[in-house]
Amino acid sequence: MQTGNSIGGVVAQAAGLFAVTNVDDLVLLALFFAQTAGHRGGAARVVLGQYLGFAAILAVSVAAALGATLLPEPVLPYLGLLPLALGVRAAWRAWRAWRERNGGDEEEPSGPGGPAALAVAAVTFANGGDNVGVYVPVFATSGPAGIALYAAVFLVLVAVWCLAGRLFAGRPLVARALRRWGHVLLPLVLIAVGLVILLG
């Protein structure tokens, strides 16, 4: 049984590890949350997608730490195809919306606003390929209790990250910028993330 001091140390290490490996997710979360502004249930889909994607990262990391290789290393760069494809799709939609606006069609698109939960999950998972590389050696030396503690801290911090992304997107200056340019920024960021993963 671990002492209070060692548990506190693991919690602090887990928090630091999560922050360092997920700082780039804050930008993506802010862009996703900006897309959901004014649409009921949009924020919940972003949170659900973030949890699904991060749970998949955790599952792969834990399995690899315990000796199973679910994703061979040569396959990891190809995860970049997910955000790349989503970025191209978002760019195509933004271009079509721009053409419709300039053609005099002011009709709002129907359906739920913002990204689908599975799209957020796919981007989160693909962007977490480097996380897996960092988490596996840490988990491999932590034992089952340590892995469980790391996972619990990580899952709590996913909620903190979602809250931070939503607050960031809701700041008046940022919100105005994201409303004005988010439809351009999101495809660019997704395509950049995809290329970095593919070429990394």
Side-chain angles (χ1 to χ4, degrees), residues 1-14 146 149-150:
M1 183 72 178
Q2 289 182 313
T3 66
N5 284 343
S6 62
I7 289 174
V10 171
V11 168
Q13 287 170 12
L149 190 53
Y150 269 98

Side-chain angles (χ1 to χ4, degrees), residues 65-81:
L66 298 176
T69 308
L70 298 181
L71 289 175
E73 199 167 318
V75 171
L76 291 178
Y78 293 103
L79 290 176
L81 292 173

Side-chain angles (χ1 to χ4, degrees), residues 3-84:
T3 66
N5 284 343
S6 62
I7 289 174
V10 171
V11 168
Q13 287 170 12
L17 188 62
F18 181 90
V20 167
T21 55
N22 290 284
V23 69
D24 52 342
D25 272 351
L26 280 175
V27 175
L28 286 168
L29 281 168
L31 286 167
F32 285 143
F33 279 120
Q35 280 196 322
T36 68
H39 297 281
R40 246 180 114 176
R45 286 194 303 277
V46 172
V47 173
L48 175 61
Q50 185 72 6
Y51 265 102
L52 288 173
F54 197 80
I57 291 168
L58 271 181
V60 170
S61 301
V62 170
L66 298 176
T69 308
L70 298 181
L71 289 175
E73 199 167 318
V75 171
L76 291 178
Y78 293 103
L79 290 176
L81 292 173
L82 290 169
L84 187 59

Side-chain angles (χ1 to χ4, degrees), residues 54-188:
F54 197 80
I57 291 168
L58 271 181
V60 170
S61 301
V62 170
L66 298 176
T69 308
L70 298 181
L71 289 175
E73 199 167 318
V75 171
L76 291 178
Y78 293 103
L79 290 176
L81 292 173
L82 290 169
L84 187 59
L86 289 168
V88 169
R89 189 177 111 182
W92 170 252
R93 285 182 170 178
W95 180 75
R96 272 183 32 199
W98 178 82
R99 274 192 50 189
E100 286 172 12
R101 275 196 309 271
N102 286 334
D105 186 357
E106 295 298 327
E107 216 177 288
E108 285 296 316
S110 58
L118 288 179
V120 176
V123 171
T124 301
F125 182 71
N127 196 34
D130 56 338
N131 296 32
V132 173
V134 175
Y135 297 164
V136 169
V138 173
F139 289 174
T141 58
S142 297
I147 291 173
L149 190 53
Y150 269 98
V153 173
F154 286 176
L155 292 173
V156 168
L157 289 175
V158 168
V160 173
W161 242 235
C162 288
L163 181 62
R166 186 156 190 195
L167 289 173
F168 183 61
R171 302 289 299 168
L173 187 62
V174 175
R176 277 197 300 274
L178 290 178
R179 268 197 305 273
R180 185 175 173 101
W181 299 107
H183 65 289
V184 174
L185 285 174
L186 182 64
L188 290 177

